[in-house]
Amino acid sequence: MVSIEEFSVRGRLADTGEGITADELQLAARNHGLPLESLRYDVTPPGLHYVLVHYDIPATNAGDWRLELGGCVEEPVSFGLTGLRAMGRRTIRVTLECAGNGRAALQPRPISQPWLSEAVGTAEWTGVLLSDLLRQAGIREDAVDVVFTGADRGVERGVVQDYQRGMSITEAIDSGAIVAWEMNGGPLPPQHGYPLRLVVPGWYGMASVKWLRSIELIDHEFDGFQNAVAYRIRKDADDPGTAVTRIEPRALLVPPGFPDFMSRHRFVAAGPVPLFGRAWSGWAPIERVEVSTDAGVNWHEATLDAVGNDELAWRAFAYDWEATPGEHVLTVRAYDASGREQPIEADWNRGGFANNTAQRITVLVT
Ligand SMILES: Nc1nc2c(c(=O)[nH]1)N[C@H]1C(S)=C(S)[C@@H](COP(=O)(O)O)O[C@H]1N2
Ligand SMILES: [Mo]
C-alpha cells in the first residue's frame, strides 16, 4: 500500500509556459480573493473578504469550545467562550493579506494557491488581547515562543499536521494580537475561524490561526512545518531561507470603468476619471502613494485619507485622472514610513511569498 508520504504532493515550480494546473484551479475555487471593486468599503463585508484555508473548514461549535492555554506558564488555563467574553472586549481594524498574494504573477510560477493581487481584506475583529490571557496564566521565565494550534488537520508535502504557527512571545504581545470571536460585529463566519481565532495585526495572514483551540508556551524556537518549512523566503530548495513575517507595502486601485468579461480589461469614457484605492503595510503607516497612467513613465502623488486609530489598517487614496482616448496602463505604488516601497519588477522566491509588485490595469479610453 502507498504511504501518506508517497500519496502527498511535493512543492514544485510550473514548467516554462505551463498553464494553471487542475490542482491550482481546485485551490482557487475553494479560496477566493477580494473582488477589487470591494476596496470601496472601509471595512470589508464578510463574504467579500479574501479566504484562505489550507485543509478543510472544521466542524466546530461555540457551545462546548475550549481554548487551552498551557506549557511554560505558572498556571494552565482552559477557557470557554463565556469565560473569554468576561475577560474584556476590544475591537481592532486589521488589514489581513495572504503571504502568497502575487504568487501567480511570478515566473517561474510556484504551484500553490494562484493568487494574483486580491488576497486581502480589512475587518473589525472583536475579542480579548492575547497579552491579557498570557498574564492570567503567568508567563514563566523559560518561555520563548508561543504556539497557536487550530482544529484543522491536513497533509503538506508528506507531513501530517494540525495547522500550527509559532511566534516569539515578545512579537506576539507587541503586535497587539487578539483572540477574536467576532468579525464586523457578528460571530466569526465558519471560513474565518468560527468560533475563535487569533488575529495578529501587521503580519501576513498565516500568523492569524483560525479555529484556535490551543496556545502553548515553549522554551525554544518553534520549528513546526508552517514556520520552519512552509513560510520561508528561499531562492532554491536547499536554501534555509528567512521567515515570512510582516506585510510588505501594497496599493491597489479599484479598476475604473467597466470590464471585459474574459480579460477584465477596462473601458472608460474620455474625460475626468476619479481613481480610488487602498494602500497598506504591516511595517509602518503608509506615507505616500503614487499613480501612473502611462505604465510607469510619469508618476503623480495621490491624496491620502488620514491614518485611523489602527494605524496599520489600509488607507484610502484618490487621484483625478484626465483620461484621453487610447490604451493606457494604470499602475500604483505605495511607500511606508519605514522606508519600504513597492517594486516595479518582482523579486522571485520559490514559495511565491510577499510579491508586492505594483498593480497594472489595462484601460481602453473611448
Ligand atoms: N487553522 C488555520 N488557520 C489559518 C489558516 C488555515 O489554513 N488554518 N490559513 C492561514 C492563512 S495562510 C491565511 S492567509 C489566513 C486567512 O484568513 P482569512 O481566511 O480569514 O482571510 O488564515 C490563516 N489561518
Ligand atoms: Mo495565507
Side-chain angles (χ1 to χ4, degrees):
M1 213 185 70
V2 50
S3 68
I4 290 181
E5 239 210 317
E6 290 160 337
F7 208 59
S8 169
V9 172
R10 295 300 103 150
R12 73 170 179 97
L13 303 174
D15 296 330
T16 317
E18 182 182 2
I20 294 286
T21 63
D23 283 356
E24 288 167 292
L25 175 60
Q26 182 170 241
L27 283 170
R30 288 181 54 81
N31 298 305
H32 69 79
L34 171 93
L36 292 185
E37 60 276 28
S38 324
L39 288 165
R40 69 169 74 101
Y41 306 106
D42 289 338
V43 172
T44 312
L48 294 177
H49 191 287
Y50 89 96
V51 173
L52 193 289
V53 176
H54 280 229
Y55 314 132
D56 290 349
I57 298 170
T60 54
N61 180 359
D64 57 10
W65 194 259
R66 302 304 301 182
L67 171 64
E68 308 295 341
L69 170 48
C72 303
V73 294
E74 306 292 348
E75 189 79 50
V77 203
S78 169
F79 298 97
L81 267 282
T82 318
L84 281 174
R85 282 203 187 87
M87 288 197 62
R89 184 184 164 84
R90 177 180 293 251
T91 298
I92 53 175
R93 188 177 291 192
V94 177
T95 297
L96 272 190
E97 181 179 12
C98 180
N101 204 10
R103 174 183 292 125
L106 292 175
Q107 286 192 359
R109 186 180 74 254
I111 302 255
S112 181
Q113 167 67 31
W115 294 122
L116 295 167
S117 63
E118 60 289 86
V120 66
T122 295
E124 289 195 332
W125 304 97
T126 299
V128 57
L129 273 178
L130 173 71
S131 57
D132 287 346
L133 300 187
L134 295 180
R135 193 170 318 112
Q136 160 139 2
I139 303 172
R140 248 169 38 201
E141 224 159 71
D142 56 342
V144 174
D145 269 13
V146 49
V147 182
F148 304 94
T149 307
D152 49 332
R153 190 172 181 74
V155 189
E156 250 169 276
R157 288 178 253 174
V159 181
V160 182
Q161 57 194 285
D162 293 337
Y163 188 88
Q164 220 172 26
R165 279 281 307 182
M167 72 197 297
S168 83
I169 295 171
T170 321
E171 281 170 318
I173 291 175
D174 291 354
S175 70
I178 65 168
V179 170
W181 53 81
E182 279 180 24
M183 179 188 195
N184 299 355
L188 295 181
Q191 69 275 29
H192 291 296
Y194 173 84
L196 207 58
R197 79 175 298 173
L198 183 71
V199 177
V200 187
W203 282 62
Y204 277 118
M206 74 282 154
S208 293
V209 176
K210 303 192 270 193
W211 313 293
L212 183 66
R213 61 172 180 77
S214 142
I215 300 177
E216 198 195 354
L217 273 54
I218 59 173
D219 65 2
H220 55 277
E221 196 180 323
F222 180 64
D223 63 358
F225 187 89
Q226 301 300 338
N227 284 69
V229 182
Y231 288 96
R232 308 208 58 99
I233 308 267
R234 323 173 191 267
K235 291 296 172 198
D236 57 65
D238 307 322
D239 176 4
T242 55
V244 177
T245 59
R246 287 181 175 267
I247 300 174
E248 297 297 324
R250 189 193 296 272
L252 288 179
L253 280 171
V254 173
F258 52 86
D260 174 56
F261 176 41
M262 291 305 294
S263 67
R264 299 207 62 82
H265 286 175
R266 315 294 304 184
F267 303 92
V268 167
V273 178
L275 297 177
F276 175 86
R278 305 274 176 182
W280 63 91
S281 165
W283 294 97
I286 290 295
E287 222 170 44
R288 187 158 52 99
V289 173
E290 291 176 347
V291 178
S292 167
T293 59
D294 55 10
V297 179
N298 296 289
W299 293 93
H300 315 278
E301 193 160 338
T303 18
L304 272 178
D305 271 9
V307 180
N309 292 337
D310 297 293
E311 55 175 31
L312 298 184
W314 63 24
R315 278 181 90 171
F317 65 87
Y319 175 74
D320 289 323
W321 177 33
E322 196 55 42
T324 53
E327 197 181 309
H328 297 265
V329 174
L330 308 183
T331 178
V332 280
R333 65 179 180 200
Y335 299 76
D336 75 13
S338 76
R340 289 176 172 80
E341 63 183 71
Q342 279 187 260
I344 302 302
E345 295 290 334
D347 192 13
W348 190 86
N349 66 86
R350 206 187 145 84
F353 296 120
N355 174 18
N356 62 335
T357 312
Q359 178 193 27
R360 286 168 73 89
I361 304 174
T362 303
V363 179
L364 184 68
V365 179
T366 54

